[in-house]
Amino acid sequence: GFDLLGFHTIRRVKHDQFSQEVQIIGSVGQFNYITGLFYMTEESDAENPFILGFGTVNNFYGVEAESLAAFAHVDYQLSEKLTLTGGLRWTTEEKTLYIDRPDDFSFAGFFPLERTNANDTWDNTTAMASINYQYSADINTYAKVSQGWKAGGFNGEAPTAELAVKPYDAEEVLAYEAGIKSRWLEQQLQANIAVFYNDISDMQMSEFLGAYSDIQNAGSATIKGLEVELVAAFSQSVTGNFNYGALSTDYDEFITYDIFTGAPNDVTDTAAFPYSPETKWSLGLDYQTETRLGDLHISGNYSYVDEHFIYHNQPSADLTKVDSYNLLSARVTLSNIYSTNLELSLWGNNI
């Protein structure tokens, strides 16, 4: 026999990153504050050849990014139970892209691309405000509204120079959240509940197009949901936990554009929402005790995740759809064996 290779690709990525944050923390009267600066620089270089049955299309691209932010966060205690919180963050981010595709396989649809460079800068200021009311030492409620932001960028896998130098815009979100964090039954039961609503604009969506992916600003979307976290202490040795999440996602507007012609395509009612199962939950049990040999820890977890998609566009969405599934995991650990650092574990996932 012999190998018959039609198309294969390899991606080798080298990534370097450095970040530094400086904070000043203090209080003045009823004000508690945190202010500071954040700096990050990163560089990624990818070697991503397309290996065909009759040759190899060499493909190189990379991006350098530099980000600087200044932030301030202030708590003001109106009373023993009521606290107001506010925050601001200013960010500037610069990105520089290069693409180099020197080989000419035009007859197979892989066109050469001389080294192309692009550069752009995005600036943004976001804010946050929240109110916290502590009914008692064990019950705290809150409501929060905040802005989120993700800088724009470039498509490192763009097929043409014109598309390579064209950036996609920043993504913004306006998020609302309210919830309660509480302990009951003499702190034997912990119950945390939160509801949230996110309004996203200029949403960045990656579309898989066969040999490469393309990121576009699709439009706007609404995400809302519920999260529940319960932890119960049945005894000094046995605890249980339950987590539940419900999610609802809707596109308010979703328009994609043909990368070559620019023709719009309204997929608001047909596009899938990636990585967004409507329901997921988990139930766990934990047992700990001391033995003559050492500390024994036994834990088990059973979880469920609803069906969901990986891609928004067809046919990729249906071809990679993840059906609903259940997982059972368990772990047995014996630590501090004979008062040493020796530890033995037996575990299994998806039992």
Side-chain angles (χ1 to χ4, degrees), residues 47 50 125 185 189 270 281 316 323 347:
E47 181 183 355
F50 301 139
T125 300
L185 304 176
L189 175 64
T270 58
W281 57 264
S316 301
D323 293 329
W347 56 271

Side-chain angles (χ1 to χ4, degrees), residues 235-249:
S235 68
Q236 290 185 344
S237 301
V238 181
T239 59
N241 61 82
F242 175 74
N243 294 279
Y244 174 82
L247 194 65
S248 174
T249 57

Side-chain angles (χ1 to χ4, degrees), residues 10-261:
I10 300 172
R11 180 176 295 171
R12 305 180 185 94
V13 179
K14 180 183 178 182
H15 182 86
D16 295 307
Q17 180 176 305
F18 170 81
S19 65
Q20 183 69 53
E21 183 169 301
V22 178
Q23 294 184 354
I24 300 175
I25 303 174
S27 61
V28 178
Q30 294 174 294
F31 291 92
N32 298 312
Y33 63 86
I34 301 174
T35 185
L37 297 172
F38 173 81
Y39 174 79
M40 183 188 72
T41 180
E42 61 179 339
E43 182 177 353
S44 293
D45 297 284
E47 181 183 355
N48 183 204
F50 301 139
I51 303 171
L52 310 177
F54 45 82
T56 298
V57 181
N58 288 296
N59 181 30
F60 307 95
Y61 54 89
V63 64
E64 293 182 22
E66 187 175 36
S67 179
L68 177 65
F71 59 89
H73 180 101
V74 179
D75 293 330
Y76 177 63
Q77 193 165 353
L78 287 173
S79 66
E80 291 184 357
K81 294 186 175 183
L82 186 62
T83 302
L84 299 180
T85 301
L88 283 174
R89 183 183 183 94
W90 170 82
T91 304
T92 181
E93 188 164 325
E94 180 183 12
K95 293 183 179 179
T96 302
L97 169 83
Y98 76 86
I99 298 180
D100 187 9
R101 198 174 302 129
D103 301 306
D104 189 352
F105 285 81
S106 303
F107 65 92
F110 293 92
F111 299 93
L113 182 66
E114 294 184 0
R115 186 180 177 96
T116 301
N117 298 283
N119 175 272
D120 208 339
T121 301
W122 293 265
D123 300 309
N124 180 264
T125 300
T126 55
M128 182 275 291
S130 69
I131 181 170
N132 294 263
Y133 186 78
Q134 190 161 355
Y135 283 94
S136 66
D138 296 326
I139 302 176
N140 183 55
T141 60
Y142 68 93
K144 180 173 69 172
V145 58
S146 60
Q147 295 173 309
W149 178 79
K150 181 165 59 175
F154 298 95
N155 282 293
E157 299 179 348
T160 67
E162 181 182 6
L163 294 171
V165 300
K166 181 181 179 181
Y168 53 86
D169 293 330
E171 177 179 300
E172 297 182 349
V173 59
L174 181 60
Y176 304 88
E177 182 179 345
I180 179 172
K181 297 182 178 182
S182 61
R183 292 179 182 268
W184 307 84
L185 304 176
E186 298 181 349
Q187 298 195 358
Q188 294 184 64
L189 175 64
Q190 175 180 299
N192 299 332
I193 303 173
V195 293
F196 60 89
Y197 181 97
N198 296 339
D199 186 7
I200 305 173
S201 58
D202 288 326
M203 183 172 47
Q204 297 173 4
M205 298 294 287
S206 177
E207 188 166 5
F208 182 62
L209 300 174
Y212 56 91
S213 297
D214 177 68
I215 298 177
Q216 297 184 3
N217 292 100
S220 57
T222 300
I223 302 175
K224 51 189 175 183
L226 166 72
E227 294 178 346
V228 177
E229 178 188 35
L230 301 176
V231 180
F234 300 111
S235 68
Q236 290 185 344
S237 301
V238 181
T239 59
N241 61 82
F242 175 74
N243 294 279
Y244 174 82
L247 194 65
S248 174
T249 57
D250 292 294
Y251 292 113
D252 303 314
E253 181 185 51
F254 194 162
I255 300 175
T256 62
Y257 298 88
D258 186 279
I259 61 172
F260 294 107
T261 67

